[in-house]
C-alpha cells in the first residue's frame, strides 16, 4: 500500500484474523499501523492485493453496500475524531443513530456505557470542554456502543492513566468474550506483555507474528 | 453536574451544525439572484401582455386608403367607401377621416405646403372590426371593388407580425436570462455546498466511516441548502414584489408605462420563487454532496 506516488508503506502482508480473535499491532512510529487499520475499516484501498472482510473481497463490494460493512466495525481513532457540535452523549450515540436505531431503544444503553467509561457527569459536555483522557474514553464508547463484529483501536490508551487503561482493556476483553474480533494498534508494551494476546509486529512495511512476551521485551 | 443531563428528555441533535458563519453571505448572493430572476419574470410577463394588447388592438382595426376616380371628389369617394364597408358583416364601424387628418399624415414628408387642396391626397377610412368574426382583407377589398372604388385595405397584418415576432423575441430573451440566472444560482449553491462540505469534512468523514449511507449525507446537505435558498428566495421575491408594486403605483393604471404595463396580478408570478430556489438548491446540493462523498470511497 502507498499514498499517491509516495513510498510503499505496507508490502507483502498476508494474514488473517479469525472471528473472535484478539490481536495487538505493534511497531515503531511510521511503521504503518494506522494505515493497516485504515485498510480494514475501508478508509483506504490497497494499491495492490486483496482485503477480505466478513468473507467478502472488499474490492467487489458495491459502494452502496459498503456502509453496511462499516457499521459492523467500531473504530477508535488516534485523534478521536469527535463531532465538536454534538454533546458527549450525542457523539456516543452516533453509530446507533446512523444504523437507524430509535432513541428510546438505546438511550439507557448509551448512558450506562458512558457511566462505565467514567463520563457519567460529562454526558452533556461538548468535546471542546473535555480533557484528553475524557475524549479518548468518549471515542472508545462511540466505537463499542454498537457492539461491532470488529473493533479496531489506534492507540486507545495513549491519553489515559494506568488505572483507566486497565479498565478500557477490560472493556475490550469483555467485548471480545462476547464475540467481537479485536485489533489494537499500540505502543503500550506493558499492556501487550500482560495481556498474553498475540502480536502482529510491523516494521519496514512487513508484518511479523510475535509472542506477546517477546513483543513486550 | 450529572443532574444537568436530562436523559429521558434527550433528543438526538442534528448531524450537521445548525448554522455557519458563511450562511449570511450565501443568503445575500442567492437573494440577489432570485431578485434578478423575479424582475426578469415580471418583465417578460409585462412585455408579453403589452405585445398581446397591441396585437389585439391592431387585429380589431383596418385602414382603407381611398383614391378618387373620375370627377368624384375625394370626400365623396371616402364617404361611399365608409358606407359600403359599414354594411358588411363583422364590421362594427366604418368612418371616413376628415381630410385634415390625411393632410396631417403627409405633412411630415411634404412640410407646410401652401395649398394641399391642389394635391391628389387620398382619403382614409378607419374601420373597426368584430374581434370574433373579423372579415378578411379580400372580403373588404371585394366589396369596395364592387362599388367601383379605387381603394387599398390595410389590416395591419404586417405590424401584427412584427409585434408578435418582437413579443416572441422578448419572451425568449427573458426566458434565457431567467435560465441563466437560475443556472448561476445553482452554480453558487454547488460551490457553497462544496465549500460547506470542505468545511465540514471532518463531520462527513466521521459519518461516512460510522456507516452513514451516501444518501443520508447528501440529504443532510440537500435539506440545509434548500432551507437557505428558500429563505433567500423569499427575500428576493419580497424585494422584487416591492419593486413591482412601486412600478405599478408610479405608472398608474397602466403600470410603469404603456410599453411595460405591470399589473397587480403579475406579482403572483413571484410566489413560486422560494420554492423554485429551494428546488434548484436541493438538486445542486444533492448532486455536489453525492459526488464528494463518492470521492471519499
Amino acid at each position: 500500500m502507498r499514498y499517491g506516488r509516495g513510498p510503499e508503506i505496507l508490502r507483502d502482508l498476508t494474514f488473517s484474523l479469525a472471528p473472535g480473535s484478539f490481536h495487538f499491532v505493534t511497531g515503531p512510529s511510521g511503521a504503518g499501523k494506522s494505515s493497516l487499520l485504515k485498510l480494514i475499516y475501508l478508509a483506504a484501498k490497497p494499491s495492490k492485493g486483496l482485503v477480505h472482510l466478513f468473507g467478502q473481497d472488499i474490492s467487489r463490494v458495491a459502494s452502496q453496500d459498503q456502509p453496511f460493512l462499516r457499521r459492523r466495525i467500531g473504530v477508535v481513532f488516534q485523534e478521536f475524531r469527535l463531532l465538536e457540535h454534538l454533546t458527549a452523549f450525542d457523539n456516543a450515540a452516533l453509530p446507533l443513530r446512523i444504523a437507524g436505531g430509535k432513541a428510546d431503544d438505546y438511550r439507557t444503553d448509551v448512558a450506562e456505557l458512558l457511566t462505565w467509561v467514567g463520563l457519567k457527569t460529562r454526558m452533556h459536555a461538548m468535546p471542546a470542554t473535555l480533557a484528553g483522557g475524557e475524549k479518548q474514553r468518549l471515542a472508545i464508547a462511540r466505537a463499542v456502543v454498537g457492539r461491532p463484529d470488529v473493533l479496531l483501536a489506534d492507540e486507545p490508551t495513549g491519553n489515559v492513566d494506568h488505572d483507566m487503561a486497565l479498565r478500557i482493556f477490560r472493556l475490550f476483553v469483555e467485548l471480545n468474550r462476547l464475540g467481537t474480533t479485536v485489533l489494537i494498534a499500540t505502543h503500550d508494551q506493558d499492556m501487550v506483555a500482560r495481556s498474553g494476546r498475540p502480536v502482529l509486529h510491523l516494521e519496514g512495511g512487513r508484518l511479523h507474528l510475535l509472542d506477546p512476551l517477546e513483543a513486550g521485551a | 453536574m450529572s443532574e444537568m443531563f436530562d436523559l429521558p428528555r434527550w433528543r438526538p441533535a442534528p448531524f450537521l451544525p445548525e448554522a455557519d458563519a458563511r450562511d449570511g453571505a450565501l443568503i445575500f448572493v442567492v437573494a440577489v439572484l432570485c431578485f434578478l430572476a423575479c424582475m426578469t419574470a415580471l418583465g417578460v410577463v409585462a412585455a408579453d401582455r403589452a405585445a398581446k394588447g397591441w396585437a389585439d388592438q391592431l387585429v380589431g382595426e383596418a385602414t382603407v386608403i381611398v383614391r378618387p376616380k373620375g370627377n368624384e371628389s375625394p370626400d365623396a369617394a371616402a364617404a361611399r367607401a365608409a358606407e359600403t364597408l359599414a354594411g358588411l358583416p363583422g364590421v362594427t364601424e366604418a368612418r371616413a377621416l376628415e381630410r385634415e387628418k390625411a393632410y396631417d399624415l403627409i405633412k411630415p414628408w411634404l412640410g407646410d405646403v401652401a395649398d394641399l387642396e391642389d394635391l391628389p391626397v387620398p382619403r382614409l377610412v378607419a374601420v373597426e372590426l368584430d374581434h370574433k368574426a373579423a372579415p378578411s382583407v379580400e372580403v373588404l377589398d371585394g366589396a369596395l371593388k364592387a362599388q367601383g372604388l379605387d381603394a387599398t385595405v390595410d389590416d395591419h397584418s404586417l405590424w401584427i407580425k412584427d409585434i408578435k415576432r418582437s413579443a416572441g423575441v422578448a419572451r425568449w430573451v427573458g426566458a434565457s436570462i431567467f435560465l441563466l440566472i437560475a443556472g448561476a444560482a445553482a452554480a453558487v449553491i454547488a460551490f457553497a455546498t462544496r465549500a460547506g462540505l470542505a468545511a465540514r469534512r471532518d463531520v462527513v468523514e466521521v459519518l461516512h466511516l460510522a456507516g452513514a449511507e451516501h444518501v443520508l449525507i447528501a440529504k443532510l446537505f440537500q435539506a440545509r441548502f434548500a432551507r437557505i435558498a428558500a429563505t433567500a428566495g423569499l427575500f428576493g421575491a419580497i424585494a422584487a414584489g416591492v419593486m413591482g408594486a412601486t412600478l405599478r403605483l408610479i405608472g398608474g393604471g397602466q403600470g410603469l408605462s404603456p410599453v411595460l404595463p405591470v399589473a397587480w396580478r403579475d406579482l403572483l408570478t413571484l410566489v413560486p420563487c422560494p420554492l423554485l430556489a429551494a428546488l434548484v438548491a436541493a438538486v445542486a446540493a444533492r448532486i455536489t454532496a453525492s459526488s464528494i462523498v463518492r470521492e471519499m470511497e
Side-chain angles (χ1 to χ4, degrees):
Chain A
M1 181 203 176
R2 65 174 80 228
Y3 292 102
R5 293 170 181 268
E8 269 193 328
I9 306 289
L10 302 169
R11 63 174 178 274
D12 299 335
L13 300 190
T14 304
F15 72 100
S16 65
L17 300 175
S21 62
F22 192 129
H23 289 80
F24 285 101
V25 182
T26 61
S29 295
K33 299 189 291 294
S34 298
S35 297
L36 180 64
L37 296 189
K38 277 185 180 176
L39 286 175
I40 301 172
Y41 65 74
L42 309 179
K45 286 180 180 166
S47 37
K48 278 184 202 165
L50 296 175
V51 176
H52 279 80
L53 198 59
F54 306 122
Q56 297 178 72
D57 174 358
I58 58 167
S59 64
R60 293 177 181 272
V61 176
S63 65
Q64 67 265 27
D65 294 330
Q66 290 188 7
F68 301 100
L69 288 185
R70 289 192 179 97
R71 288 178 196 175
R72 297 174 66 184
I73 306 170
V75 186
V76 182
F77 300 101
Q78 191 172 10
E79 65 280 20
F80 316 136
R81 304 185 82 161
L82 301 170
L83 299 188
E84 296 294 326
H85 65 287
L86 297 181
T87 63
F89 193 93
D90 277 289
N91 264 290
L94 193 70
L96 300 173
R97 286 181 62 192
I98 286 174
K102 289 182 180 163
D104 288 340
D105 296 339
Y106 60 70
R107 77 176 77 212
T108 310
D109 293 344
V110 175
E112 281 176 4
L113 180 59
L114 286 173
T115 303
W116 206 89
V117 297
L119 294 175
K120 182 180 180 181
T121 62
R122 307 292 279 152
M123 291 185 196
H124 62 282
M126 305 306 280
T129 66
L130 297 176
E134 290 175 323
K135 287 182 183 176
Q136 190 147 38
R137 282 178 274 151
L138 178 55
I140 290 165
R142 184 181 62 186
V144 304
V145 73
R147 293 192 181 172
D149 293 328
V150 173
L151 175 70
L152 306 173
D154 201 351
E155 297 291 353
T157 54
N159 287 285
V160 294
D161 60 32
H162 181 70
D163 287 347
M164 185 48 74
L166 281 177
R167 201 173 165 82
I168 288 169
F169 180 67
R170 281 208 303 275
L171 174 64
F172 292 159
V173 170
E174 183 62 20
L175 268 174
N176 178 241
R177 201 178 60 76
L178 293 171
T180 298
T181 305
V182 179
L183 184 62
I184 300 173
T186 185
H187 280 111
D188 189 343
Q189 303 291 6
D190 184 43
M191 183 168 72
V192 172
R194 282 194 295 147
S195 73
R197 306 286 174 162
V199 177
L200 302 168
H201 185 73
L202 267 174
E203 193 149 4
R206 293 174 188 275
L207 194 67
H208 312 276
L209 183 64
L210 300 182
D211 181 80
L213 292 175
E214 186 187 344
Chain B
M1 296 227 310
S2 59
E3 63 277 11
M4 289 178 70
F5 189 78
D6 189 354
L7 186 61
R9 296 181 66 182
W10 171 81
R11 290 285 174 275
F15 284 126
L16 289 180
E18 290 281 3
D20 192 301
R22 287 160 298 191
D23 286 357
L26 180 62
I27 287 176
F28 177 74
V29 172
V30 177
V32 168
L33 288 168
C34 287
F35 170 75
L36 294 174
C38 285
M39 291 309 292
T40 309
L42 270 183
V44 170
V45 169
D48 196 52
R49 180 183 308 102
K52 200 164 179 294
W54 298 332
D56 280 354
Q57 219 175 338
L58 290 174
V59 164
E61 290 176 356
T63 307
V64 180
I65 302 166
V66 184
R67 290 172 290 274
K69 273 183 13 186
N71 293 329
E72 190 175 26
S73 73
D75 290 337
R80 201 152 59 82
E83 195 183 325
T84 305
L85 294 171
L88 293 176
V91 174
T92 52
E93 190 185 350
R95 182 167 51 86
L97 297 182
E98 299 80 17
R99 61 182 159 188
E100 288 73 21
K101 284 208 173 161
Y103 293 159
D104 286 345
L105 286 173
I106 59 172
K107 254 184 194 169
W109 283 271
L110 299 181
D112 275 334
V113 177
D115 197 356
L116 277 171
E117 295 289 346
D118 292 342
L119 294 173
V121 178
R123 292 291 188 272
L124 299 175
V125 174
V127 184
E128 282 186 22
L129 305 170
D130 181 353
H131 282 264
K132 288 176 187 165
S136 66
V137 177
E138 289 72 27
V139 171
L140 300 177
D141 209 30
L144 292 168
K145 278 200 169 71
Q147 293 298 317
L149 287 158
D150 178 11
T152 306
V153 179
D154 176 10
D155 66 347
H156 308 154
S157 56
L158 188 66
W159 301 107
I160 292 169
K161 261 186 208 163
D162 283 348
I163 286 171
K164 282 187 175 168
R165 196 182 307 122
S166 302
V169 169
R171 222 175 280 140
W172 277 107
V173 168
S176 304
I177 293 173
F178 185 82
L179 287 176
L180 269 177
I181 293 171
V188 166
I189 297 289
F191 183 76
T193 307
R194 198 162 267 279
L197 267 162
R200 301 278 170 228
R201 197 174 178 92
D202 51 342
V203 179
V204 174
E205 278 184 358
V206 169
L207 295 175
H208 177 66
L209 293 174
E213 292 170 76
H214 298 178
V215 176
L216 170 74
I217 297 172
K219 273 185 182 171
L220 294 176
F221 282 87
Q222 172 186 317
R224 174 180 172 70
F225 285 101
R227 266 200 312 274
I228 288 175
T231 308
L234 189 64
F235 286 144
I238 289 172
V242 169
M243 182 69 88
T246 307
L247 295 177
R248 176 66 180 75
L249 289 171
I250 289 172
Q254 285 187 309
L256 177 63
S257 76
V259 178
L260 206 60
V262 179
W264 288 117
R265 67 173 177 279
D266 293 354
L267 301 183
L268 292 175
T269 315
L270 312 179
V271 171
C273 177
L275 194 65
L276 282 175
L279 192 68
V280 169
V283 171
R286 178 75 175 252
I287 292 171
T288 311
S290 296
S291 78
I292 291 174
V293 175
R294 268 199 299 275
E295 285 166 17
M296 287 182 182
E297 289 293 339

